[in-house]
Amino acid sequence: MNKQYRLTESELQKLHNVELELLTEFDRICRKYNIPYSIDGGTLLGAIRHNGFIPWDDDADVIMNRHAYQRFLEVLDEELDKNKFYFQDMNRTQGYRWGYGKLRRMNTEFVRLNQEYMPYPQGVFLDVFVCDNVPEPYLLRCICNFHSFIYRKFFYSEVGKNTAKGFRKQIYQILGLVPESKLKKRYFRYIEYRNRKYSEWVKCLTFPACNRTYGYKRRWYEETIDIQFENTILKACKDYDEYLTFLYGDYMKLPPESERKVHAVSKLLLG
């Protein structure tokens, strides 16, 4: 059993420096081709509350709608500085089972606990979340969320069958019998189905919803402003107060130390 690695304050600062490189490279490409995106989650919260990284946060997030993501992928291979960075998602990375992409830094390692055996490099990363259309009527959105939940569990089975216990472990072992190629092919058809009709509501399908609304407003990721983040300027949701309140409630209030979440990491190399 691998043990969780605890980052020191010095390592966390170095990690933030690497993640800032990733954010800057991602922003550079998107600005060049006028591709809309927003920093997201704790990264957006950090920009508003701390003018940069949340001091204890150990990752970075951006988010965009499907059309913007497809445009990003079209220019990525030509534009990305491959001496420093590489990109992973389901289409281009064998064994990758997450419904969003990761931009990673060469010559680094940031290995999540219990994912040591995943068959691809795991450098320090920027999560690139991609949202697909979900139904506007709430009941249909709930059904969509359930379908997405099932896909998420199938994809997670590669981890769950090695880490879960008892009955849950058996369930993941059964789900893990579905070949990766067939699962992805079915999921890609599901993405096409979800995007056949325009909607004002979107969601990263295989990522848990933050509340029981089970969707997010499309405009949050398309109507953006420039915002200061550490020593650079990034894109952020124009209505960030509305969005952060939707995500976190009273987002300006610092959580108690016991609730300051970090990723469980088993291996760290910052280059």
Side-chain angles (χ1 to χ4, degrees):
M1 180 66 70
N2 291 288
K3 295 182 179 180
Q4 182 172 348
Y5 181 84
R6 301 287 182 179
L7 278 69
T8 66
E9 288 189 15
S10 174
E11 288 172 329
L12 189 57
Q13 181 59 57
K14 291 179 181 178
L15 178 63
H16 286 170
N17 291 339
V18 176
E19 290 169 346
L20 190 59
E21 280 190 277
L22 293 162
L23 284 163
T24 302
E25 176 70 358
F26 181 84
D27 177 79
R28 178 188 69 80
I29 295 173
C30 288
R31 284 182 188 272
K32 182 174 180 178
Y33 291 92
N34 197 29
I35 300 173
Y37 82 93
S38 172
I39 53 176
D40 192 42
T43 308
L44 177 58
L45 175 57
I48 302 303
R49 198 171 66 192
H50 304 273
N51 297 314
F53 288 102
I54 296 174
W56 58 87
D57 200 7
D58 60 2
D59 74 344
D61 305 315
V62 296
I63 194 165
M64 60 205 324
N65 289 327
R66 175 63 63 178
H67 179 66
Y69 184 70
Q70 291 173 334
R71 289 170 59 196
F72 174 74
L73 294 181
E74 288 172 0
V75 302
L76 179 66
D77 289 331
E78 178 181 350
E79 286 293 333
L80 189 67
D81 183 351
K82 298 181 182 63
N83 292 319
K84 293 183 177 180
F85 310 102
Y86 59 102
F87 189 79
Q88 298 172 333
D89 71 0
M90 282 191 185
N91 282 293
R92 58 178 64 208
T93 308
Q94 183 69 29
Y96 189 92
R97 302 172 72 89
W98 319 115
Y100 48 93
K102 289 182 182 287
L103 180 63
R104 296 191 188 262
R105 184 64 162 89
M106 299 285 289
N107 303 315
T108 67
E109 287 187 89
F110 188 91
V111 182
R112 296 283 300 275
L113 188 66
N114 298 322
Q115 295 186 22
E116 299 81 5
Y117 48 83
M118 300 303 279
Y120 49 79
Q122 298 185 61
V124 175
F125 61 89
L126 168 67
D127 279 330
V128 181
F129 291 109
V130 52
C131 287
D132 296 291
N133 293 344
V134 295
E136 293 183 7
Y138 179 69
L139 179 59
L140 294 180
R141 209 157 62 239
C142 291
I143 296 172
C144 172
N145 184 72
F146 177 73
H147 290 161
S148 301
F149 168 82
I150 298 300
Y151 273 109
R152 183 167 78 247
K153 292 305 178 182
F154 268 100
F155 283 122
Y156 187 76
S157 63
E158 191 65 23
V159 177
K161 69 184 182 182
N162 292 294
T163 60
K165 298 183 183 299
F167 180 70
R168 290 181 62 201
K169 183 181 183 72
Q170 295 175 353
I171 294 296
Y172 281 127
Q173 288 174 333
I174 294 171
L175 297 180
L177 295 176
V178 178
E180 178 186 341
S181 59
K182 290 186 177 180
L183 179 60
K184 288 184 176 180
K185 185 176 181 180
R186 184 69 177 265
Y187 179 64
F188 294 151
R189 288 206 301 266
Y190 179 61
I191 290 175
E192 291 179 1
Y193 172 76
R194 288 265 59 97
N195 289 289
R196 76 195 190 286
K197 183 179 179 181
Y198 179 87
S199 174
E200 293 292 342
W201 287 87
V202 298
K203 181 181 180 295
C204 184
L205 296 175
T206 57
F207 197 81
C210 71
N211 57 42
R212 293 189 178 182
T213 304
Y214 302 133
Y216 305 81
K217 296 178 182 179
R218 169 185 294 277
R219 63 179 173 81
W220 284 337
Y221 313 130
E222 295 181 345
E223 299 175 5
T224 62
I225 58 173
D226 285 348
I227 197 166
Q228 185 76 35
F229 188 90
E230 299 293 345
N231 62 357
T232 191
I233 301 294
L234 301 174
K235 291 290 185 180
C237 172
K238 179 180 179 181
D239 293 326
Y240 61 79
D241 180 69
E242 178 188 34
Y243 182 50
L244 289 175
T245 301
F246 179 85
L247 291 180
Y248 303 114
D250 184 6
Y251 61 87
M252 293 301 288
K253 182 179 179 181
L254 290 175
E257 289 191 20
S258 61
E259 297 179 13
R260 298 177 182 181
K261 298 178 181 179
V262 296
H263 290 94
V265 180
S266 65
K267 188 174 183 180
L268 179 71
L269 175 65
L270 297 175

